């Protein structure tokens, strides 16, 4: 897999054209805006299922993206962003295990920009990530989701993931505990 590689073009439920592709260096500014939109949303909604807790700067985001592109080049992760109307509207990845016993196993993360949710983009991203991970040689993928996030759980189940466990009170935010549900798929 290469940075910027295009996987497919899809049409969202609202008719907008969306490109699913790997991230590339030219996405730096868009990635920064995307990350900070999520952090801002987390501040407003205590149940928001994203754990990134600090606004990023151009420097921290450039370091993150540089590391990510190197990881993609090494084959250590499958990256997938969604681009619509010239904007980065979704970001996701599956990161391969770091030790030899887990090279066949990946951990998945995904988010879609607020105004582009419920348009079918997240499910298409999930299905494409699963296909690309299989082609990359992965055999299993896991993810963690807030138990208070029924939309994400619905999308993951639609993509073939099954609930395999629950970690009580893993999340503590603003004085409140939230359970984590662990989900997995065999490819
Ligand atoms: C979770 C997320 C990635 C899904 O992406 P998306 O583009 O919104 O997903 P889709 O549009 O493909 O599908 C949404 C589905 O959830 C359903 N849905 C919406 N709200 C729901 C709710 N409260 N309960 C159950 N299902 C719900 C929609 O009806 C749709 O299902 P359908 O196509 O069968 O009708 C995205 O909503 C998101 O980024 N959310 C905020 C961040 C987050 O929670 N990330 C996941 C962290 S683990």
């Amino acid at each position: 897999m290469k940075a910027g590689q295009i996987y497919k073009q899809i049409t969202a439920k609202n008719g907008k054209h969306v490109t699913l592709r790997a991230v590339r260096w030219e996405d730096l500014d868009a990635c920064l805006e995307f990350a900070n939109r999520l952090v801002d949303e987390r501040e407003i909604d205590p149940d928001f299922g994203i754990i990134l807790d600090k606004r990023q700067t151009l420097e921290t985001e450039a370091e993150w993206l540089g590391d990510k592109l190197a990881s993609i080049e090494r084959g250590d992760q499958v990256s997938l962003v969604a681009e619509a109307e010239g904007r980065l509207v979704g970001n996701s990845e599956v990161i391969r295990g770091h030790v030899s016993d887990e090279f066949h196993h990946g951990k998945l993360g995904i988010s879609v920009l607020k105004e582009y949710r419920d348009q079918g983009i997240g499910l298409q991203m999930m299905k494409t990530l699963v296909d690309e991970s299989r082609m990359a040689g992965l055999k299993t993928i896991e993810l963690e989701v807030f138990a208070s996030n029924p939309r994400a759980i619905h999308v993951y189940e639609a993509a073939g993931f099954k609930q395999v466990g629950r970690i009580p009170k893993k999340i503590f935010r603003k004085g409140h505990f939230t359970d984590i549900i662990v989900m997995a798929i065999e490819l």
Side-chain angles (χ1 to χ4, degrees):
M1 180 210 211
K2 293 262 175 264
Q5 177 184 337
I6 293 179
Y7 304 124
K8 60 173 76 153
Q9 315 274 353
I10 61 165
T11 305
K13 287 180 184 171
N14 60 7
K16 299 246 167 79
H17 297 292
V18 182
T19 302
L20 303 185
R21 61 167 173 80
V23 74
R24 58 188 182 217
W25 180 251
E26 292 76 10
D27 293 322
L28 177 58
D29 289 339
C31 285
L32 177 62
E33 188 196 340
F34 187 92
N36 285 336
R37 284 280 307 274
L38 295 180
V39 175
D40 291 348
E41 201 175 342
R42 178 188 187 277
E43 279 305 304
I44 296 164
D45 176 6
D47 265 339
F48 190 56
I50 294 291
I51 53 173
L52 185 65
D53 60 353
K54 285 184 189 61
R55 282 183 67 83
Q56 302 300 301
T57 64
L58 192 58
E59 287 70 31
T60 59
E61 195 70 3
E63 190 178 343
W64 170 83
L65 185 54
D67 289 348
K68 189 174 185 71
L69 292 171
S71 167
I72 293 168
E73 289 296 322
R74 288 194 305 270
D76 288 346
Q77 68 173 275
V78 174
S79 152
L80 190 160
V81 298
E83 185 181 341
E85 304 174 295
R87 297 178 73 193
L88 199 146
V89 303
N91 193 11
S92 62
E93 77 271 306
V94 175
I95 299 177
R96 189 188 286 275
H98 297 306
V99 293
S100 60
D101 289 349
E102 295 183 8
F103 281 164
H104 67 288
H105 178 77
K107 292 190 177 177
L108 185 147
I110 182 171
S111 49
V112 171
L113 216 53
K114 187 170 188 177
E115 55 269 36
Y116 290 85
R117 291 177 199 150
D118 290 328
Q119 295 300 324
I121 297 172
L123 179 57
Q124 289 297 325
M125 290 172 70
M126 289 294 298
K127 288 180 172 174
T128 307
L129 275 175
V130 164
D131 290 345
E132 291 294 327
S133 297
R134 188 184 293 112
M135 282 193 274
L138 293 182
K139 303 294 182 207
T140 53
I141 304 176
E142 71 169 87
L143 62 82
E144 292 190 355
V145 57
F146 283 28
S148 56
N149 194 348
R151 171 168 51 195
I153 293 168
H154 175 84
V155 172
Y156 301 152
E157 287 179 336
F161 282 75
K162 292 192 167 42
Q163 299 189 29
V164 295
R166 188 179 188 104
I167 307 173
K169 298 184 176 176
K170 177 165 178 181
I171 300 297
F172 182 70
R173 184 186 292 175
K174 296 191 174 174
H176 176 71
F177 288 106
T178 301
D179 293 357
I180 282 291
I181 292 177
V182 184
M183 302 183 73
I185 187 171
E186 283 188 48
L187 303 177

